[in-house]
Amino acid sequence: MQIGPEIGPEIGPEIGPAALIKEDARPRTRLILVEDHAILREGLKALIEIEDDFNIVGDFSRVEDSLNGIRDLQPDIVVTDLGLPGRSGIELLAEIRRLSPKTRKLVLTAHENEEYIRAALNAGADGYVLKDANSAELMLAIRTVSLGQQYLCKAIASKILSGYLSGDQRQASPAVTQSITEREREVLTRIALGNSNKLIARELGVSPKTVEKHRSNLMRKLQLHNAAAITMFAIRNGMAGSEPLGAVPARLQLLASTG
């Protein structure tokens, strides 16, 4: 029977306090919660802080109270409700872009009608989750958003799909769509399909910096603020890809089928 090497004082590096400190020094995702119901807010804090890589650095019940904290703390993510006393969560999403541009924004709300969804995405929300989601889905949403990606819960993705398939498409004005160049249209279509800047650049034979410039121009012209809002715009205006009429973009098929 083969036995592993004898372990003596010369085997392996010494593990001391410095090594332990280094191991625990990995960066944690810093979050701020904005939720007016105290019981729910406390429950969210307890749930999120179970995870070793998350740290709640502030929690607030009103938009007005949260603004200074967001400006001073520059959190990685803000998780906010939409229906708040005083100013709404939609207004908060817009304020975050000004106060802390790098902060990602996740909506956690009971509002599931399309007007709220569209308003939140257009205001810069990076994710949208309903309050009846389970804890596993909320953690998935937070982690997805923290990685720089967008997250729509199954019910919200299905609503977007339903509107698309039923032909309920509130299209942009012709002047807006005509202002989009052919190259910008190619970039928009690929963003809506979930492609990264690097992949788009490779497909179009340009540099990622050029793709980023086209993305910025699109967002400015269309007054959109993230890829989720671009996806909704592309779907509503028939720019979601080369699929035949009535086909569902693969990115939204995936979102709607998971949950």
Side-chain angles (χ1 to χ4, degrees):
M1 179 174 65
Q2 184 175 359
I3 301 176
E6 180 182 358
I7 299 176
E10 298 298 321
I11 302 298
E14 180 181 357
I15 300 178
L20 294 176
I21 291 173
K22 184 176 181 181
E23 182 180 344
D24 291 338
R26 64 185 184 278
R28 302 175 72 188
T29 300
R30 301 165 63 252
L31 298 95
I32 280 180
L33 304 179
V34 186
E35 164 60 54
D36 59 317
H37 292 95
I39 292 177
L40 179 55
R41 192 169 64 249
E42 292 299 320
L44 285 171
K45 286 174 61 178
L47 175 66
I48 292 171
E49 289 193 324
I50 291 174
E51 306 295 325
D52 293 337
D53 52 342
F54 291 151
N55 181 25
I56 304 296
V57 296
D59 63 278
F60 304 92
S61 61
R62 300 171 63 90
V63 171
E64 293 87 343
D65 299 333
S66 71
L67 296 178
N68 286 340
I70 292 169
R71 182 194 61 211
D72 296 340
L73 295 169
Q74 299 287 300
D76 300 304
I77 299 176
V78 170
V79 180
T80 183
D81 195 356
L82 295 181
L84 296 166
R87 300 176 67 182
S88 73
I90 301 293
E91 292 179 90
L92 175 59
L93 294 171
E95 288 283 3
I96 293 171
R97 290 205 312 271
R98 179 178 63 85
L99 296 172
S100 184
K102 294 183 179 180
T103 295
R104 308 281 293 171
K105 300 165 286 291
L106 176 63
V107 170
L108 178 63
T109 185
H111 294 294
E112 55 182 311
N113 66 61
E114 192 170 330
E115 286 70 25
Y116 277 99
I117 300 167
R118 188 186 310 112
L121 294 179
N122 287 342
D126 299 295
Y128 201 110
V129 180
L130 296 177
K131 285 185 175 178
D132 60 2
N134 59 34
S135 60
E137 180 168 26
L138 177 59
M139 291 300 103
L140 174 61
I142 293 174
R143 293 189 188 284
T144 301
V145 168
S146 73
L147 293 173
Q149 301 171 4
Q150 283 71 42
Y151 186 91
L152 300 177
C153 68
K154 179 181 178 181
I156 298 305
S158 296
K159 280 183 176 294
I160 295 174
L161 268 177
S162 176
Y164 174 67
L165 293 175
S166 67
D168 177 21
Q169 301 185 30
R170 298 172 179 83
Q171 296 185 342
S173 68
V176 171
T177 55
Q178 288 172 11
S179 72
I180 301 173
T181 68
E182 186 60 34
R183 180 62 87 186
E184 288 170 349
R185 185 182 294 263
E186 291 174 335
V187 171
L188 184 149
T189 297
R190 286 164 171 78
I191 292 172
L193 293 174
N195 295 348
S196 67
N197 283 357
K198 287 184 179 179
L199 179 57
I200 296 172
R202 189 160 60 245
E203 290 180 349
L204 298 181
V206 299
S207 71
K209 188 171 290 187
T210 298
V211 174
E212 182 58 40
K213 182 178 180 181
H214 288 310
R215 180 192 286 256
S216 297
N217 287 340
L218 280 167
M219 289 182 171
R220 174 178 53 79
K221 289 179 180 180
L222 304 177
Q223 297 185 328
L224 304 174
H225 305 290
N226 58 30
I230 289 176
T231 299
M232 178 177 279
F233 176 91
I235 291 170
R236 294 210 174 282
N237 290 275
M239 303 176 187
S242 58
E243 296 92 337
L245 184 64
V248 179
R251 184 180 184 209
L252 285 183
Q253 283 183 332
L254 177 61
L255 285 168
S257 63
T258 58

